[in-house]
Amino acid sequence: MHGGGGITCCSTNLFMDIITDNFIAECGIWGIVLLGVLLVLFLWQLWYYLVRYGAAKRLNPARKGSDTDKSTDPLSFVTAVHDPNYYYVEYVIPAILAQEYPQYEVILVDLSGDPDFGEALKLATMRDARVNVITLAVNPQFPISNKMALNVGIKAAKYENILISTTDILPPPAGWFAAMGAGFGSADVVLGYSPLETRRGQWNKMMRMSETASGMRWVSSAMRGRPYKGTMNNLGLTRSVYFGHNGFNHLNINIGEEDLFVQYITKDARTLVVIDKESPVKHKQYGGMGWWTRRRLFWSNAYRFYTKASRRYIGTELWTRVLFFTAAVAAMILLTFEAVLASAALVFVRYIIVAAQSVRVGRSFGERGLLPVAGIYDLFSPFYEAAIGISRRVKRTPGVWR
């Protein structure tokens, strides 16, 4: 932080040194205005990355308190199984049943409609009394949503503390339940992180960088007492909160469990974000950038229902970033050589700070190797986000509405 502050100070001094009488005469009043706008946008961006997003790097609050604040109360793990997923049966369920946690149950709501898979699911779990497989009859004319399936599982849960996940996850670490369960000692809603699995290739790095950037936003917001999002792969809540709010909201859409529902229940519930080496659980990558974009487009349809404050918080950083780059390019083209140097210095310093903060926060999320794509993502992501926003307005996204 001190190093970043020193660089910022030097850049600001260089910036101010060029404001001389000769410079004013050469650039004119509009050149001064342009450089002033550039400096304001630079400081605004630094405020986001050093102050607002810096909260995402803090130690997990559940680990700071005394041992009496860390819950080891029984836990109910609830997942809806939508499709035949033999990888989940063979690899993930054994890892879940091997969790190092005193007492828990596993509730699997099977709506795959596949008798063979249903039988395999029961055979894999029948010897463990902690597992409860609930099979729902499937009718194509009346599809069962994820919210309906989870509602069945939560109603069947024996314990107060519930951890919700999906079948997209990879085998979790043995301390996952302990890390997330500890949060219930001081909270009613416990938000965990779920990074994309690590694969070879630049596209995978770009996708993981995108998730890290999104995570910086919602984790830091939640740590400041303004939660607006979590992840369906790693979401904890109590039965009291769930039924106290009459279950999931926005039942007319097939999205919203990880954001609209979180916004709904955290208005009057104690909320905690768990950032711990054992708490992140990775999720699978099913394709390349085409798959990723379709996935992003699908889930982004919930954005229109966000509160104005949440939309403003997300959008302001993106827009000020675009304006900063635009002002920097304009200054480099239109103004003097000294102004070009000062503008380039601000762009460089901002890049160093953004890249360093992204890498630091990414490490706390369990991410590695993102530095090579941090600059490219930083430059192009506002346009990518804008393209997704325009696409969902121009064309109705299939599968969102019921």
Side-chain angles (χ1 to χ4, degrees):
M1 181 72 74
H2 295 291
I7 294 174
T8 305
C9 181
C10 292
S11 300
T12 305
N13 289 339
L14 174 62
F15 189 92
M16 297 304 297
D17 285 343
I18 71 170
I19 308 300
T20 63
D21 292 339
N22 183 56
F23 173 80
I24 294 175
E26 291 183 7
C27 292
I29 186 63
W30 292 113
I32 300 301
V33 170
L34 176 59
L35 289 171
V37 169
L38 178 61
L39 182 59
V40 169
L41 292 169
F42 172 76
L43 295 174
W44 200 337
Q45 282 283 293
L46 259 59
W47 178 79
Y48 260 99
Y49 282 92
L50 294 179
V51 180
R52 291 302 298 265
Y53 295 165
K57 184 64 176 63
R58 293 176 187 167
L59 182 67
N60 169 24
R63 298 291 180 182
K64 288 184 178 180
S66 64
D67 290 338
T68 57
D69 295 329
K70 302 173 185 177
S71 172
T72 55
D73 292 341
L75 191 69
S76 293
F77 176 79
V78 180
T79 294
V81 184
H82 291 270
D83 303 297
N85 189 333
Y86 290 95
Y87 175 89
Y88 188 81
V89 173
E90 186 174 355
Y91 296 102
V92 180
I93 289 178
I96 290 173
L97 296 178
Q99 288 292 300
E100 297 172 353
Y101 197 73
Q103 187 176 1
Y104 63 91
E105 65 172 342
V106 176
I107 301 174
L108 304 172
V109 183
D110 178 20
L111 53 149
S112 65
D114 188 314
D116 294 335
F117 174 76
E119 189 64 25
L121 186 62
K122 290 179 180 178
L123 287 174
T125 58
M126 64 185 301
R127 297 179 182 177
D128 197 314
R130 296 173 297 178
V131 181
N132 178 12
V133 178
I134 303 174
T135 303
L136 301 182
V138 177
N139 186 337
Q141 293 183 339
F142 303 99
I144 301 173
S145 69
N146 189 62
K147 296 174 185 177
M148 295 176 184
L150 289 176
N151 183 64
V152 171
I154 293 171
K155 284 185 175 180
K158 296 187 296 185
Y159 304 130
E160 171 69 5
N161 298 337
I162 297 170
L163 179 61
I164 297 174
S165 187
T166 74
T167 57
D168 293 330
I169 64 172
L170 297 177
W176 180 32
F177 282 11
M180 294 297 291
F184 285 107
S186 56
D188 305 306
V189 179
V190 182
L191 306 177
Y193 190 72
S194 178
L196 183 68
E197 68 172 315
T198 301
R199 289 188 180 183
R200 298 174 64 180
Q202 295 304 307
W203 287 126
N204 174 264
K205 285 186 175 67
M206 195 68 73
M207 296 176 210
R208 291 190 289 119
M209 185 65 239
S210 176
E211 289 207 348
T212 298
S214 175
M216 279 198 297
R217 288 192 287 266
W218 69 258
V219 169
S220 60
S221 184
M223 283 187 167
R224 290 177 175 276
R226 301 180 182 88
Y228 69 87
K229 192 179 182 300
T231 169
M232 270 304 297
N233 297 317
N234 204 358
L235 174 62
L237 74 164
T238 63
R239 282 173 55 92
S240 298
V241 164
Y242 180 79
F243 291 111
H245 291 81
N246 298 316
F248 290 107
N249 59 348
H250 291 276
L251 298 179
N252 60 327
I253 53 177
N254 290 316
I255 55 175
E257 298 96 312
E258 65 181 17
D259 42 26
L260 302 180
F261 180 61
V262 167
Q263 294 173 33
Y264 176 51
I265 63 177
T266 55
K267 290 178 180 178
D268 53 3
R270 299 175 303 163
T271 306
L272 177 70
V273 181
V274 175
I275 301 297
D276 183 276
K277 66 178 182 179
E278 294 288 310
S279 64
V281 54
K282 293 190 175 184
H283 64 94
K284 290 181 68 64
Q285 176 184 334
Y286 291 102
M289 280 303 295
W291 163 79
W292 174 256
T293 300
R294 289 190 297 273
R295 178 178 179 270
R296 285 291 320 281
L297 177 59
F298 181 81
W299 293 107
S300 72
N301 279 271
Y303 184 76
R304 72 184 70 180
F305 300 109
Y306 280 25
T307 63
K308 290 182 179 179
S310 295
R311 293 201 303 270
R312 184 169 56 249
Y313 168 70
I314 297 169
T316 300
E317 190 281 319
L318 295 172
W319 278 110
T320 55
R321 195 192 319 174
V322 171
L323 291 174
F324 170 77
F325 285 131
T326 302
V329 171
M332 292 178 190
I333 294 174
L334 301 175
L335 303 182
T336 65
F337 179 71
E338 291 83 356
V340 171
L341 290 180
S343 302
L346 294 183
V347 171
F348 178 73
V349 171
R350 181 195 169 279
Y351 165 74
I352 295 297
I353 293 173
V354 169
Q357 191 75 325
S358 298
V359 169
R360 290 178 61 206
V361 174
R363 285 177 179 170
S364 71
F365 292 164
E367 290 286 11
R368 296 292 187 274
L370 297 180
L371 183 58
V373 299
I376 298 174
Y377 174 82
D378 180 59
L379 182 61
F380 291 104
S381 60
F383 304 101
Y384 180 76
E385 298 296 333
I388 288 179
I390 293 171
S391 178
R392 68 170 176 257
R393 285 173 173 80
V394 171
K395 184 179 179 181
R396 188 183 181 100
T397 308
V400 171
W401 297 90
R402 295 186 56 76

